[in-house]
Amino acid sequence: MPSFKDFDKNDYIFLLCLFLMRISLGFFATVIGITLLDLAQNVGVNQKEMSPIVTAKSLGSMIGAIFISIYQHYLPFENDSTTDQFTTAIGFKNTYCKLFDRSTIMGITQFFGLFFCLLVPLADSVLKIVILIILTGILYGIVDIGCM
């Protein structure tokens, strides 16, 4: 088992990114409940009409988790012997399985997740907020299940 003495600079940067990613996922998980009244005021509706947002977050997380689970089942991140057998059987080159590793997926989903979260306060209807929260929830599910 590797110890911290065996880590180089890139390993420490990767650990820092993982730590910051988990912090940002925690913010996303809690910010909906905290800002629900403010979002309702921005959109001009009462709090009851904002309730689909909570469901949208959960729905998006489930969709993202299911998507990444299916992706990992058929195109695993690591290039092991089962990946070699599978890619040979369906005609893919082994490079396709390495095209998206955990770090790449983590970075892409965090970038777009931040983008969608920043658009939420600018949305002018409940439907737009629900769509943005579903998209962010999908990315949350992908990172939470697939990159850990």
Side-chain angles (χ1 to χ4, degrees), residues 55-123:
T55 306
K57 182 181 79 163
S58 300
L59 180 66
S61 296
M62 288 189 300
I63 292 170
I66 291 168
F67 170 76
I68 198 66
S69 297
I70 292 170
Y71 177 84
Q72 285 181 330
H73 180 72
Y74 290 108
L75 290 174
F77 290 122
E78 284 82 24
N79 229 356
D80 59 8
S81 60
T82 57
T83 304
D84 292 339
Q85 293 169 2
F86 178 76
T87 55
T88 303
I90 62 171
F92 281 156
K93 295 181 180 177
N94 289 340
T95 55
Y96 291 128
C97 292
K98 285 262 185 187
L99 182 63
F100 296 110
D101 62 350
R102 282 185 176 91
S103 300
T104 305
I105 289 176
M106 179 179 62
I108 291 170
T109 55
Q110 287 294 293
F111 174 77
F112 283 106
L114 173 66
F115 178 72
F116 293 142
C117 277
L118 291 175
L119 289 178
V120 168
L122 303 175

Side-chain angles (χ1 to χ4, degrees), residues 38-59:
D38 295 323
L39 290 174
Q41 187 177 8
N42 285 351
V43 178
V45 298
N46 63 23
Q47 187 179 358
K48 280 186 174 182
E49 294 177 39
M50 296 298 286
S51 61
I53 292 175
V54 178
T55 306
K57 182 181 79 163
S58 300
L59 180 66

